[in-house]
Amino acid sequence: MNLPAFSVCVYCGSRNGNLPDYANVARQVGTWIGQHNGQLVYGGGNNGLMGIVAQATADAGGLVVGIIPKALQTIENTRTACTELHVVDTMHERKHMMAERADVFLALPGGIGTFEEFFEVWTWRQLGYHDKPIGLLNTRGYYDGLLQFVNNSVSQGFLNDWQMDLILSGTEPASLLQELVQAAGFAPEPQLAGL
Ligand code: AMP
């Protein structure tokens, strides 16, 4: 098996959400990662968009690194088929390992777990704990309200433009992934079938 060219840490919902487009973009993200010889780093579960992105990565020939806290194995329905599965003791350990193993971060639509993870890597970046690109996939305007809220924080003097510049938002999975991976210094090329 080839060594992966880069690692994408994906944060996303443990549910599917109400619109079929959420599952569609999760599939597109996983497919893009696999087709570009990338590696997915994620929470290690089979539920919701998390399971869809992992399955799509594997189906497209990509490596899947799942990192799940011991206590969440049942509730999050561990994906035992991960290329690498790490069962860790705590949520902090999970998040730390996910961040360490990533070259870039991408948040898809999700719930409070996704929000928390996205904000955590954003705050870590503003503090200089890492310098990895961070993306927000705004499928069907799911994150419009959040972006409006943080832009309001800029207007109100609690955030600066340079902090906003630390995140990239977009609606097209392939172009956003390409932008993130290039910003991390990689030049992703699609794998040619059969070569
Ligand atoms: P959600 O977006 O709420 O569906 O959760 C997506 C993933 O985020 C799940 O694997 C959760 O275990 C994980 N997660 C990470 N940090 C938290 C947190 N502080 N609260 C809830 N879920 C979390």
Side-chain angles (χ1 to χ4, degrees), residues 77-192:
N77 194 9
T78 307
R79 182 182 166 87
T80 52
C82 287
T83 325
E84 256 183 67
L85 179 67
H86 299 271
V87 179
V88 295
D89 286 330
T90 65
M91 182 63 94
H92 285 301
E93 220 179 306
R94 174 205 243 179
K95 288 192 221 185
H96 180 71
M97 193 184 281
M98 286 171 77
E100 285 284 307
R101 295 291 301 264
D103 294 311
V104 306
F105 302 99
L106 178 61
L108 273 57
I112 52 174
T114 305
F115 306 155
E116 202 264 3
E117 290 166 321
F118 168 74
F119 276 107
E120 184 169 66
V121 291
W122 189 10
T123 55
W124 286 352
R125 176 126 191 227
Q126 74 152 356
L127 296 171
Y129 287 167
H130 72 84
D131 62 356
K132 301 175 183 181
I134 303 167
L136 187 66
L137 192 58
N138 189 15
T139 306
R140 298 286 294 265
Y142 181 72
Y143 284 119
D144 282 354
L146 181 103
L147 290 167
Q148 201 181 340
F149 179 80
V150 289
N151 278 313
N152 183 54
S153 301
V154 176
S155 316
Q156 295 302 315
F158 288 103
L159 266 179
N160 285 326
D161 288 334
W162 71 265
Q163 293 166 297
M164 293 301 295
D165 292 343
L166 301 178
I167 57 168
L168 292 168
S169 67
T171 55
E172 286 303 318
S175 48
L176 184 56
L177 279 159
Q178 186 86 24
E179 209 180 334
L180 290 167
V181 171
Q182 278 176 354
F186 302 93
E189 293 292 339
Q191 302 228 83
L192 298 177

